[in-house]
Amino acid sequence: PTYPVCFDYEYDSFNHAMRNHADVTNKSLIAIAKAFLRQVEKRGYYAMNYSNPDFLNRGFSELKKYDLWLAHWAGNKPSRDCGIWQSTSHHTVHGINGYVDRDFAYKDYPVIIKEMNDKKYNVIVNEILNGKWGNGITRKNRLTKAGYNYAEVQAMVNKLLK
């Protein structure tokens, strides 16, 4: 992905949990969010929290480690620092029936993520060249299990070896 993978917990999710007698507390929601975001990062993706001011006031502001995609539809600028601001859910675009969200990115996520991936892949390639990932099918299986694109990594290795 060229944009972050987001944790997005909405009112509908909260209401569904309550209707089904799930014990949803701020503490449990934050624990779920942290677990999800840690797994996203562990898999090598750029993790981000999507939230609105109400959820942030309920405790989601504890997720400061992660960039924020802020859904705040009041005013002509975001109410707090964020990486992406969703300014409305009722925007219109010629050729699309119905409303769409309008978002403003304050960071160049495709460039940030490409640089992050380049660094990650360069580390892996160097580890492969130093024999840390094995050879042949063993290397392929280990890289795939770790979440890497084997063909992409191997192409980088082959390029360096030529």
Side-chain angles (χ1 to χ4, degrees), residues 3 5 17-18 22 36 38 43 55 58 65-66 77 83-84 104 106 111 114 124 131 137 149 153 162:
Y3 265 74
V5 176
M18 298 309 287
F36 174 84
R38 276 194 303 268
R43 299 286 184 227
F55 273 48
R58 291 179 186 213
K65 173 185 176 195
Y66 304 97
K77 64 181 183 176
I84 301 175
F104 298 93
Y106 296 105
V111 168
K114 182 182 182 321
I124 296 303
I137 193 70
N149 180 326
V153 173
K162 287 185 179 179

Side-chain angles (χ1 to χ4, degrees), residues 3-4 7 15 22 26 41 51 69 76 119 125 132 141 157:
Y3 265 74
F7 180 79
N15 294 335
N26 288 350
E41 285 187 325
S51 195
W69 188 332
N76 58 2
K119 286 179 188 175
V125 167
K132 294 183 179 179
N141 290 341
V157 169

Side-chain angles (χ1 to χ4, degrees), residues 95-111:
I96 297 176
N97 292 329
Y99 294 117
V100 298
D101 296 343
R102 181 177 58 195
D103 299 282
F104 298 93
Y106 296 105
K107 295 182 179 184
D108 192 343
Y109 286 106
V111 168

Side-chain angles (χ1 to χ4, degrees), residues 77-92:
K77 64 181 183 176
S79 58
R80 59 181 0 141
D81 286 339
C82 57
I84 301 175
W85 172 43
Q86 183 183 66
S87 65
T88 184
S89 65
H90 285 81
H91 188 65
T92 57

